[in-house]
Amino acid sequence: MSSKKVVTVAVAATVLTWSTVMTVLGHVAAVAALLPSLGLLVQQLVQALTAPDGPSLPDGSHPPAGSTAAGRQEPPR
């Protein structure tokens, strides 16, 4: 698992744990206000965990090193 996915999982676990603690402490209104952002968090987490590492082309293949997904060469830095 890439470090980006590990960070994504760690952030999601932290936010979901915090939401659970808020609910247990009786701050249901705060959790209700956060529900839309929690839904987005779950969606992004699933997308991050199921996406292949790195950019890909529309046919599913990966571009050669040093090029962008659109097929253009990146300028030297």
Side-chain angles (χ1 to χ4, degrees), residues 1-2 4-6 8-9 12 38-54 56:
M1 187 182 293
S2 71
K4 193 173 193 179
K5 289 182 180 181
V6 171
T8 303
V9 170
L38 291 175
L40 182 59
L41 174 70
V42 170
Q43 178 189 9
Q44 290 177 339
L45 177 63
V46 169
Q47 195 172 30
L49 293 177
T50 58
D53 290 335
S56 62

Side-chain angles (χ1 to χ4, degrees), residues 27-39:
H27 298 287
V28 179
V31 175
L34 294 175
L35 280 179
S37 62
L38 291 175

